[in-house]
Amino acid sequence: MLLLGIETSCDETSVAVVENGTKVLSNVISSQIQIHEKTGGVVPEVAAREHVVQMIPVIELALKEANISLDQLNGIAVTQGPGLLSSLIIGVTAANTLAASLQKPLIPVNHIAGHIYANRLERDLGYHPQFPLVVLTVSGGHNQLILMRNEYEFELLGETLDDAAGEAFDKIARILGLSYPGGPQIAQLALQGDPKIISLPNIFLKKESLDFSFSGLKTAVMQLVEAEFVREGFLSDQFRANVAAAFQETVCEVLSNKLLLAAQKTGAQEIHLAGGVSANQRLRALIEEKVQLQFFLDWKGKKQFFSQKLKFYFPTDFRFCTDNAAMIAAAGYFQFHRFPDRFTSMQTVLPDPQLQLCISLLT
Ligand code: KG4
Ligand code: ZN
């Protein structure tokens, strides 16, 4: 089955052609990073205007790269939300128009489900997920722990009470004078730093909680940087690198510990990492290490052992970590399989900036 995926939830105009939810025939991503670098973040109206300019050329390029024509498609999958309304409108309008004119089924996809199903892209054909599994979706806009007992069934275990981890990376990058998006830049700078020199607050929250909070950490880093500036009159490269390393370590520790706590609590057989921050090498390494050693640290920093041999998956390609349309086509495929009668060419998808993953797909 060939699906066209369309993703415009934030600042990437992306269109992909994916076969059977796994094989990526094309995945064109037109990034607006250079435009938003100037403002240090995404201005929604600017992003929307750029989507308008890019939408049709990106569709044409995705079809050309996949070497297929529109009539060969079996359906159109599009990001319905969550995301920026003005950006979502552009992708959804393109998808509604294509589905109606081609008489092909239209599949509205939750963006977070897209990140989850990015883990199926370009995976060995022999791979079949073992349920239950726990997914940590960690991105600029979302940060959730999700339990899947079955294909396309999502149960929310915990989420951020304030900022998402990617957003925290972006804000700390700004404080350290790095450009947008901050995650990759912090990761790069952290390589020159020592995470142990600067001590940052414990952000585990109360015992057993699977929620996250990063705003206290952000304030602590801000105060530390301000104090250093007042004391020294400038920020040395070594100080900035030490801050980046300590910040990254604190965030990755809490993300990895809670992912494993969630797996322990639910008896999961697999753990999956998804979203932009899943590109972070330190986060992957920490999770891998804890999976091998079969323990994680609890809210008091004490080792907690778990008995199951967990399998750990993250996207097979860095391009599948951050926003892309291949993941939307993949999620659309599995959604179509699960609920085949729900999707026709007659429906019109409305963008929903606040679309909830767990409610939207189980009802
Ligand atoms: O999934 P994504 O492209 O967009 C949202 O759905 O939000 O994620 C973008 C986020 C940004 O906050 C970016 O700083 C972060 O992912 N990110 C990273 C890395 N690469 C991207 N964070 C930490 N380390 C990275 N290597
Ligand atoms: Zn995303």
Coordinates of all heavy atoms in Angstrom, one line a residue, residues 278-328:
S278 N 15.2 12.5 20.4 CA 15.7 11.1 20.2 C 17.0 11.1 19.4 O 17.7 10.1 19.3 CB 14.6 10.2 19.6 OG 14.4 10.5 18.3
A279 N 17.3 12.2 18.7 CA 18.6 12.3 18.0 C 19.7 12.4 19.0 O 20.9 12.3 18.5 CB 18.5 13.5 17.1
N280 N 19.5 12.8 20.2 CA 20.6 13.0 21.2 C 21.4 11.8 21.5 O 20.8 10.8 22.1 CB 20.0 13.7 22.4 CG 21.1 14.2 23.4 OD1 21.7 13.4 24.1 ND2 21.3 15.5 23.3
Q281 N 22.6 11.8 21.2 CA 23.5 10.6 21.4 C 23.7 10.3 22.9 O 23.8 9.1 23.2 CB 24.9 10.9 20.8 CG 24.8 11.2 19.3 CD 24.6 9.9 18.5 OE1 24.2 8.9 18.9 NE2 24.9 10.0 17.2
R282 N 23.8 11.3 23.7 CA 24.0 11.0 25.1 C 22.7 10.3 25.7 O 22.9 9.4 26.5 CB 24.3 12.3 25.9 CG 24.5 12.2 27.4 CD 25.7 11.3 27.7 NE 25.8 11.0 29.1 CZ 26.3 9.8 29.5 NH1 26.7 8.9 28.7 NH2 26.4 9.6 30.8
L283 N 21.6 10.8 25.3 CA 20.3 10.1 25.8 C 20.3 8.7 25.3 O 20.0 7.8 26.1 CB 19.1 10.9 25.2 CG 17.7 10.4 25.6 CD1 17.6 10.3 27.1 CD2 16.6 11.2 25.0
R284 N 20.6 8.4 24.1 CA 20.6 7.0 23.6 C 21.6 6.2 24.4 O 21.3 5.0 24.8 CB 21.0 7.0 22.1 CG 19.9 7.6 21.2 CD 20.4 7.6 19.8 NE 19.5 8.2 18.8 CZ 19.6 8.1 17.5 NH1 20.6 7.6 17.0 NH2 18.7 8.6 16.8
A285 N 22.8 6.7 24.6 CA 23.8 6.0 25.3 C 23.4 5.7 26.7 O 23.6 4.5 27.2 CB 25.1 6.8 25.3
L286 N 22.8 6.6 27.4 CA 22.4 6.4 28.8 C 21.3 5.3 28.9 O 21.4 4.5 29.8 CB 21.8 7.7 29.4 CG 22.7 8.6 30.2 CD1 21.9 9.8 30.8 CD2 23.3 7.8 31.4
I287 N 20.4 5.4 28.0 CA 19.3 4.4 28.0 C 19.9 3.0 27.7 O 19.6 2.0 28.4 CB 18.2 4.7 27.0 CG1 17.5 6.0 27.3 CG2 17.1 3.6 26.9 CD1 16.5 6.6 26.3
E288 N 20.7 2.9 26.7 CA 21.4 1.7 26.3 C 22.1 1.1 27.5 O 22.0 -0.1 27.8 CB 22.3 2.0 25.2 CG 22.9 0.7 24.4 CD 21.8 0.0 23.7 OE1 21.2 0.5 22.8 OE2 21.6 -1.2 24.1
E289 N 22.9 1.9 28.2 CA 23.7 1.5 29.3 C 22.8 0.9 30.4 O 23.0 -0.2 31.0 CB 24.4 2.7 29.9 CG 25.5 2.5 30.9 CD 26.1 3.8 31.3 OE1 26.6 4.6 30.4 OE2 26.1 4.1 32.5
K290 N 21.7 1.6 30.7 CA 20.8 1.1 31.8 C 20.0 -0.1 31.4 O 19.8 -1.0 32.2 CB 19.8 2.3 32.1 CG 20.5 3.4 32.9 CD 19.7 4.6 33.1 CE 20.6 5.7 33.7 NZ 20.0 7.0 33.9
V291 N 19.7 -0.3 30.1 CA 19.1 -1.5 29.6 C 20.0 -2.7 29.8 O 19.6 -3.7 30.3 CB 18.6 -1.3 28.1 CG1 18.3 -2.7 27.5 CG2 17.4 -0.4 28.0
Q292 N 21.3 -2.4 29.5 CA 22.3 -3.5 29.6 C 22.5 -3.9 31.1 O 22.5 -5.1 31.4 CB 23.6 -3.1 29.0 CG 23.7 -2.9 27.5 CD 23.3 -4.1 26.8 OE1 23.6 -5.2 27.2 NE2 22.6 -4.0 25.7
L293 N 22.6 -2.9 31.9 CA 22.9 -3.1 33.3 C 21.7 -3.5 34.1 O 21.7 -3.9 35.3 CB 23.6 -1.9 34.0 CG 24.9 -1.5 33.4 CD1 25.4 -0.2 33.9 CD2 26.0 -2.6 33.7
Q294 N 20.5 -3.3 33.5 CA 19.2 -3.7 34.1 C 18.9 -2.9 35.4 O 18.4 -3.5 36.4 CB 19.1 -5.2 34.3 CG 18.8 -5.9 33.0 CD 18.5 -7.3 33.1 OE1 19.4 -8.1 33.2 NE2 17.2 -7.7 33.2
F295 N 19.3 -1.7 35.5 CA 18.9 -0.8 36.6 C 18.7 0.6 36.1 O 19.3 1.0 35.1 CB 19.8 -0.9 37.8 CG 21.1 -0.2 37.7 CD1 21.2 1.2 37.8 CD2 22.3 -0.9 37.4 CE1 22.4 1.8 37.7 CE2 23.5 -0.3 37.2 CZ 23.6 1.1 37.4
F296 N 18.0 1.4 36.9 CA 17.9 2.9 36.7 C 18.0 3.5 38.1 O 18.0 2.8 39.1 CB 16.6 3.2 36.0 CG 15.3 2.8 36.7 CD1 14.7 3.7 37.6 CD2 14.8 1.5 36.5 CE1 13.6 3.3 38.3 CE2 13.7 1.1 37.2 CZ 13.0 2.0 38.1
L297 N 18.0 4.8 38.1 CA 18.1 5.5 39.4 C 16.7 6.1 39.8 O 16.1 6.7 38.9 CB 19.1 6.7 39.3 CG 20.6 6.2 38.9 CD1 21.5 7.4 38.9 CD2 21.1 5.2 39.9
D298 N 16.4 5.9 41.0 CA 15.1 6.5 41.4 C 15.2 7.9 41.9 O 16.3 8.5 41.7 CB 14.4 5.6 42.5 CG 15.2 5.6 43.8 OD1 16.1 6.5 44.0 OD2 14.9 4.8 44.7
W299 N 14.1 8.5 42.4 CA 14.1 9.9 42.7 C 15.1 10.3 43.8 O 15.5 11.5 43.9 CB 12.7 10.3 43.2 CG 12.2 9.7 44.5 CD1 12.2 8.3 44.7 CD2 11.8 10.3 45.7 NE1 11.8 8.1 46.0 CE2 11.5 9.3 46.6 CE3 11.7 11.6 46.0 CZ2 11.1 9.6 47.9 CZ3 11.2 11.9 47.3 CH2 10.9 10.9 48.2
K300 N 15.6 9.3 44.6 CA 16.7 9.6 45.5 C 18.1 9.3 45.0 O 19.0 9.3 45.7 CB 16.4 8.8 46.8 CG 15.3 9.4 47.7 CD 15.3 8.7 49.0 CE 14.4 9.4 50.0 NZ 14.0 8.5 51.1
G301 N 18.1 8.9 43.7 CA 19.4 8.5 43.2 C 19.8 7.1 43.5 O 21.0 6.7 43.3
K302 N 18.9 6.3 44.0 CA 19.2 4.9 44.4 C 19.0 3.9 43.2 O 18.0 4.1 42.5 CB 18.3 4.4 45.6 CG 19.1 4.5 46.9 CD 18.3 3.9 48.0 CE 17.8 2.5 47.9 NZ 16.8 2.1 48.9
K303 N 19.8 2.9 43.1 CA 19.6 2.0 42.0 C 18.4 1.1 42.1 O 18.2 0.6 43.2 CB 20.8 1.0 41.9 CG 22.1 1.6 41.3 CD 23.2 0.6 41.2 CE 24.5 1.2 40.8 NZ 25.6 0.3 40.9
Q304 N 17.6 1.0 41.1 CA 16.4 0.2 41.1 C 16.6 -0.8 40.0 O 16.7 -0.5 38.8 CB 15.1 1.0 40.9 CG 14.8 2.0 41.9 CD 14.4 1.3 43.3 OE1 13.9 0.2 43.3 NE2 14.6 2.0 44.4
F305 N 16.6 -2.1 40.3 CA 16.8 -3.1 39.3 C 15.5 -3.6 38.7 O 14.4 -3.6 39.4 CB 17.6 -4.3 39.9 CG 19.0 -4.0 40.2 CD1 19.3 -3.4 41.4 CD2 20.0 -4.2 39.3 CE1 20.7 -3.0 41.7 CE2 21.3 -3.9 39.5 CZ 21.6 -3.3 40.7
F306 N 15.5 -4.0 37.5 CA 14.3 -4.6 36.9 C 14.7 -5.9 36.2 O 15.9 -6.1 35.8 CB 13.7 -3.6 35.8 CG 14.6 -3.1 34.8 CD1 14.8 -3.8 33.6 CD2 15.3 -1.9 35.0 CE1 15.6 -3.3 32.6 CE2 16.1 -1.4 34.0 CZ 16.3 -2.1 32.8
S307 N 13.7 -6.8 36.1 CA 14.1 -8.2 35.7 C 14.0 -8.4 34.2 O 14.8 -9.3 33.7 CB 13.2 -9.2 36.5 OG 11.9 -8.8 36.2
Q308 N 13.2 -7.7 33.5 CA 13.0 -8.1 32.1 C 14.1 -7.6 31.2 O 14.8 -6.6 31.5 CB 11.6 -7.5 31.5 CG 11.5 -6.1 31.3 CD 10.9 -5.3 32.5 OE1 11.3 -5.5 33.6 NE2 10.0 -4.4 32.1
K309 N 14.4 -8.4 30.2 CA 15.4 -8.1 29.2 C 14.7 -7.2 28.2 O 14.0 -7.7 27.3 CB 15.9 -9.3 28.5 CG 16.9 -10.1 29.3 CD 18.4 -9.8 28.8 CE 19.4 -10.5 29.6 NZ 20.4 -9.6 30.2
L310 N 15.0 -5.9 28.3 CA 14.2 -4.9 27.4 C 14.9 -4.8 26.1 O 16.2 -4.8 26.0 CB 14.2 -3.6 28.1 CG 13.2 -3.3 29.2 CD1 13.5 -2.0 29.9 CD2 11.8 -3.3 28.6
K311 N 14.1 -4.6 25.0 CA 14.7 -4.2 23.7 C 14.5 -2.7 23.5 O 13.4 -2.2 23.8 CB 14.0 -5.0 22.6 CG 14.4 -6.5 22.7 CD 14.2 -7.1 21.3 CE 14.6 -8.5 21.3 NZ 13.6 -9.4 20.9
F312 N 15.5 -2.1 23.1 CA 15.5 -0.6 23.0 C 15.5 -0.2 21.5 O 16.5 -0.6 20.8 CB 16.7 0.0 23.8 CG 16.9 1.4 23.6 CD1 15.8 2.3 23.5 CD2 18.2 1.9 23.5 CE1 16.1 3.7 23.3 CE2 18.4 3.3 23.3 CZ 17.4 4.2 23.2
Y313 N 14.6 0.6 21.1 CA 14.5 1.1 19.7 C 14.5 2.6 19.6 O 13.8 3.2 20.4 CB 13.3 0.5 18.9 CG 13.3 -1.0 18.8 CD1 12.7 -1.8 19.7 CD2 14.0 -1.6 17.7 CE1 12.7 -3.2 19.6 CE2 14.0 -3.0 17.6 CZ 13.4 -3.7 18.5 OH 13.4 -5.1 18.4
F314 N 15.2 3.1 18.6 CA 15.1 4.5 18.3 C 15.1 4.6 16.8 O 15.5 3.6 16.1 CB 16.3 5.4 18.9 CG 17.6 4.8 18.8 CD1 18.3 5.0 17.6 CD2 18.2 4.0 19.8 CE1 19.6 4.4 17.4 CE2 19.5 3.5 19.6 CZ 20.2 3.7 18.4
P315 N 14.7 5.7 16.2 CA 14.6 5.8 14.7 C 15.9 5.4 14.0 O 17.0 5.7 14.4 CB 14.3 7.3 14.4 CG 13.6 7.7 15.7 CD 14.3 7.0 16.8
T316 N 15.7 4.6 12.9 CA 16.8 4.1 12.1 C 17.7 5.2 11.4 O 18.8 4.9 11.0 CB 16.4 3.1 11.1 OG1 15.4 3.7 10.2 CG2 15.7 1.8 11.7
D317 N 17.1 6.4 11.3 CA 17.8 7.4 10.6 C 17.5 8.7 11.3 O 16.4 8.9 11.8 CB 17.2 7.5 9.2 CG 18.1 8.4 8.3 OD1 18.3 9.6 8.6 OD2 18.4 7.9 7.2
F318 N 18.5 9.6 11.4 CA 18.3 10.9 12.1 C 17.2 11.7 11.5 O 16.5 12.4 12.2 CB 19.6 11.7 12.1 CG 20.6 11.2 13.1 CD1 21.7 10.6 12.8 CD2 20.4 11.4 14.5 CE1 22.7 10.1 13.7 CE2 21.3 11.0 15.5 CZ 22.4 10.3 15.0
R319 N 17.0 11.6 10.2 CA 15.9 12.3 9.6 C 14.5 11.9 10.0 O 13.5 12.6 9.9 CB 16.0 12.2 8.0 CG 17.1 12.9 7.4 CD 17.1 12.6 5.9 NE 16.9 11.1 5.7 CZ 16.2 10.6 4.8 NH1 15.5 11.4 3.9 NH2 16.1 9.3 4.6
F320 N 14.4 10.7 10.7 CA 13.1 10.3 11.2 C 12.9 10.7 12.6 O 11.8 10.5 13.2 CB 13.0 8.7 11.1 CG 13.3 8.2 9.7 CD1 13.8 6.9 9.6 CD2 12.9 8.9 8.6 CE1 14.0 6.4 8.3 CE2 13.1 8.4 7.3 CZ 13.7 7.1 7.2
C321 N 13.9 11.4 13.2 CA 13.8 11.8 14.6 C 13.0 13.1 14.6 O 12.0 13.3 15.4 CB 15.1 12.1 15.3 SG 16.1 10.6 15.5
T322 N 13.4 14.1 13.9 CA 12.8 15.4 13.8 C 11.6 15.3 12.8 O 11.4 14.3 12.2 CB 13.8 16.5 13.4 OG1 14.5 16.0 12.4 CG2 14.7 16.9 14.6
D323 N 10.8 16.4 12.7 CA 9.6 16.4 12.0 C 9.8 16.0 10.5 O 10.7 16.6 9.8 CB 8.9 17.7 12.0 CG 8.4 18.0 13.4 OD1 8.4 17.1 14.3 OD2 8.0 19.1 13.7
N324 N 9.0 15.1 10.0 CA 9.1 14.6 8.6 C 7.8 13.9 8.3 O 7.0 13.5 9.1 CB 10.3 13.6 8.5 CG 10.0 12.3 9.2 OD1 9.5 11.4 8.7 ND2 10.4 12.2 10.5
A325 N 7.6 13.8 7.0 CA 6.3 13.3 6.5 C 6.3 11.8 6.4 O 5.2 11.2 6.4 CB 5.9 13.9 5.2
A326 N 7.4 11.2 6.3 CA 7.5 9.7 6.3 C 6.8 9.1 7.5 O 6.1 8.1 7.4 CB 8.9 9.2 6.1
M327 N 7.1 9.7 8.7 CA 6.5 9.2 9.9 C 4.9 9.4 9.9 O 4.2 8.5 10.5 CB 7.1 9.9 11.1 CG 6.7 11.4 11.3 SD 7.5 12.1 12.7 CE 6.5 13.6 12.9
I328 N 4.4 10.4 9.2 CA 3.0 10.6 9.1 C 2.4 9.5 8.2 O 1.3 8.9 8.5 CB 2.7 12.0 8.6 CG1 3.3 13.1 9.5 CG2 1.2 12.3 8.4 CD1 2.9 13.0 11.0

